[in-house]
Amino acid sequence: MINANLITCALCRNYYADPRQIPCSHSFCFDCLSGRFDDETLILICPKCDKLHQYNSREEFENRCMRDGFLKSMVAQFKRNQSRSSAIASGLHSRPASSLSQIVPMNGFTPIRPVSQEVNSSFDQTCSERSTPSIYSQTRSSSVLPTIANRVLIAKCQSCNMKGELIVCNHCDNVICTKCADEHQSVINDDVKREWDLCKSKFDIISERSIRFEADQEECERKARELQTLVGERGDKLVQTINNYKNAYMDFIEKHRRTHKQVCAREQIIDEYESIDDRVNKLLKSADITTEKMDDFSFEIEHLESRLDSLNAILDSSELKFPVLTLPEQIDISSLFGTLNFLSLNSPHSNHVKSKPDHDDYLLLESSQPQPHRFDQISPPLPVPQAMKKKLLWQLDYKSVPYYVRTYNNQLFVCDKYGYLSVYKLNRPNDFRAKPIFVREIKLFNDNPTVLSDEDQTIIDSFVVYKFWIIVFKRKKNELHGTIYVFTYDGKLLPNGKCVHNYPSRELTIDVETNILWSLDQKQLCLFYYQLPDQISPTDQIEDVFHNRYSHVQFSKPFAPKHISVNKNVLAVLDKNRQAVHVYDKKTQEELYQHVNIYNHTTHFCWDMALFSDNSLLIKLDETSTLKAGPSKHIYLQLDTTSQRNVIGIIEETDAYGMIITATDEILIGVRINTKGTVKCYG
């Protein structure tokens, strides 16, 4: 017999009406499922396992609720069995009690109604001729029944072929004797169990296939979504590449137009000549002629003669050229974009198809190079290998352009080129993983740069933080010498903290390990340093500190020192002409290695660099095509410590200025946003 629990809906507690199966293989009445479907979110939550099923529409929900034919047939069979049992029970209850006195009820069997003596004898006679007993007596007219009320049917059993009291099997309608009932019941049970086992096996197989199909369907949908993203990214990348080439070619043509004018620089030489001539005449007429002034003029005259010789050589060797561009080759767009195909999930090639890079944090810059088109030295867009993008840890706002970003102990100092300073506090010394807290603002200088002319306007050329002071080197825009100012951390100028600095210094850099202030002399082509005091007293004369400088490394032409960076063990100097970074041992002055910018023939050139604690480099590349008209674009490359200097990290920024690497190797970058800025920390 069918168990009623198997065909009862868990929601309405009635027999299944239009049973439907949802993707998690649980079945319910369709009306019950419809009532639980959320039309706003298009979500159905299974009442049994709480699994969430997402649909795109109600129509899709209705279509994906599969009809459960097995449960439907079980309900129908159960109802038929109930009807038959009810009919038999009602027939038995309608007879007199005496007619049932000799009938023994058995589970699953119905006793056969008794017949008259005449019918019984004729039944025996018929049974002797054929093995299957007749049960026509059950359909005899009611006129016969009163005469046979106290008799039972005695005939041959279909199972044992022996005469006995017969009963009818409710399952197969066979007529058997009461002795064979248990055996027949076992046969029925075995048949039902066998059929049910076959059905369960089939159900398990189909259910497993259905689950696999659903998982494969989700996998296909995931791959399709990834491919949509990839198509968009690849399209954007191709457009970006074309724009890069367009901007590069436009920039090269513009540079070619201005080549001879820039190389000759006739106007600049004339200005320099007239300036020296005017000052020499005034000096010769003046009574204040010193050896130092004559040495300065001698150096300037020697420099002018060198430029005149170079200009004369260029005029002799220059050949006027004009650019031309050949017609592009006709290509199949699919060779650039790729061909769209549809593969079976079980296809042997499906596992080798990459619809998306393995790491979303990786950035691939254009590596192909355009060929020169009959004009010299065409620089291709920047070819950079695959590298992981550095993670942005935090950023904070700054009210001006952050030209200088410096740290000391548990404080962060951000300053622009006019002396607007903001101070921030770290949670713990050298803990740059957490965003610093703003402390105060300081205005180091009272002059207003907006009301001064370009000739009179002064800018901050260097800004460093020493353990006792803030040291600032300030100069006029068109001069290399200037003044060194020494402030307290509160922004107060020390009484004797203003020192005239006649050396053409570039980029003062503090070495906190040795209390040394490093700097570059672009005129003498040397790296020198000042020894700062380890302790201070009110009687100390700060001017004496900056009047005594010591040479450390001497460079030779055409070395053009541009920037310097220092860590605990080494220092690095950037040669602007060769686009090379030279790394020296601080103690022995020995050159440990040099790294030449391999991208110096591209649209990017190396403008700045910094040292990590393991002596590896961070180099800043500026895109030349974006420098004439903003915003300017920059790429920071972190190199490893191997001899190949492989790129292991990358940062892309726009309008970036100040840069520093902290003691714990975080990267701080100052970025301009219109007239204000922000400081970003990467780790």
Side-chain angles (χ1 to χ4, degrees), residues 190-309:
D190 292 341
D191 290 343
V192 171
K193 186 177 183 304
R194 183 173 59 256
E195 291 295 329
W196 177 240
D197 290 341
L198 291 174
C199 182
K200 283 202 303 184
S201 176
K202 186 175 182 180
F203 173 81
D204 292 340
I205 294 173
I206 295 176
S207 177
E208 183 180 352
R209 287 189 60 193
S210 176
I211 293 173
R212 271 202 316 269
F213 180 84
E214 183 180 354
D216 291 346
Q217 185 180 24
E218 292 180 358
E219 177 68 13
C220 289
E221 290 179 358
R222 184 186 65 80
K223 288 180 178 292
R225 288 193 299 269
E226 287 184 355
L227 185 59
Q228 285 179 320
T229 302
L230 177 66
V231 168
E233 291 175 351
R234 189 170 294 179
D236 294 341
K237 190 175 183 62
L238 288 174
V239 172
Q240 181 183 359
T241 302
I242 293 173
N243 286 331
N244 288 344
Y245 274 64
K246 181 195 73 174
N247 294 334
Y249 282 176
M250 295 294 287
D251 182 58
F252 299 142
I253 296 172
E254 180 65 21
K255 287 170 63 177
H256 180 78
R257 290 177 56 217
R258 302 182 181 182
T259 296
H260 297 288
K261 184 177 180 180
Q262 291 176 351
V263 172
C264 294
R266 181 172 174 272
E267 293 83 358
Q268 296 179 11
I269 293 179
I270 291 175
D271 292 341
E272 187 175 350
Y273 170 80
E274 292 177 349
S275 174
I276 295 176
D277 181 62
D278 181 61
R279 286 183 287 121
V280 167
N281 290 330
K282 289 181 180 179
L283 180 64
L284 294 176
K285 294 177 182 179
S286 171
D288 184 20
I289 301 178
T290 63
T291 304
E292 184 178 352
K293 290 182 179 180
M294 296 302 295
D295 289 342
D296 288 341
F297 275 114
S298 298
F299 177 80
E300 291 189 51
I301 292 171
E302 179 185 351
H303 180 67
L304 179 60
E305 289 178 348
S306 175
R307 293 190 63 182
L308 289 173
D309 292 339

Side-chain angles (χ1 to χ4, degrees), residues 38 253 302 314 394 505 509:
D38 192 331
I253 296 172
E302 179 185 351
I314 291 172
W394 50 261
S505 298
T509 302

Side-chain angles (χ1 to χ4, degrees), residues 608-628:
D608 202 355
M609 55 83 207
L611 283 166
F612 289 95
S613 60
D614 62 354
N615 301 343
S616 61
L617 286 172
L618 176 73
I619 62 174
K620 177 189 177 187
L621 303 179
D622 292 358
E623 187 175 351
T624 56
S625 61
T626 64
L627 296 181
K628 294 193 299 293

Side-chain angles (χ1 to χ4, degrees), residues 388-392 612 638 648-651 667 682-683:
M388 179 177 290
K389 292 186 290 184
K390 302 293 289 183
K391 181 181 179 182
L392 178 63
F612 289 95
Q638 180 182 358
I648 58 175
I650 186 168
I651 300 172
I667 303 170
Y682 291 91

Side-chain angles (χ1 to χ4, degrees), residues 462 473 501 504-509 516-521 526-530 549-550 555 564:
S462 294
F473 176 51
H501 192 69
S505 298
R506 179 74 186 183
E507 192 173 22
L508 300 176
T509 302
I516 284 178
L517 184 67
W518 299 94
S519 187
L520 297 169
D521 188 329
C526 72
L527 170 66
F528 64 92
Y529 66 90
Y530 301 99
R549 70 172 189 169
Y550 307 92
F555 310 110
I564 181 174

Side-chain angles (χ1 to χ4, degrees), residues 560-577:
K562 182 69 175 176
H563 289 289
I564 181 174
S565 180
V566 182
N567 66 12
K568 290 184 178 181
N569 303 311
V570 302
L571 58 86
V573 180
L574 171 63
D575 178 6
K576 185 178 71 172
N577 287 345

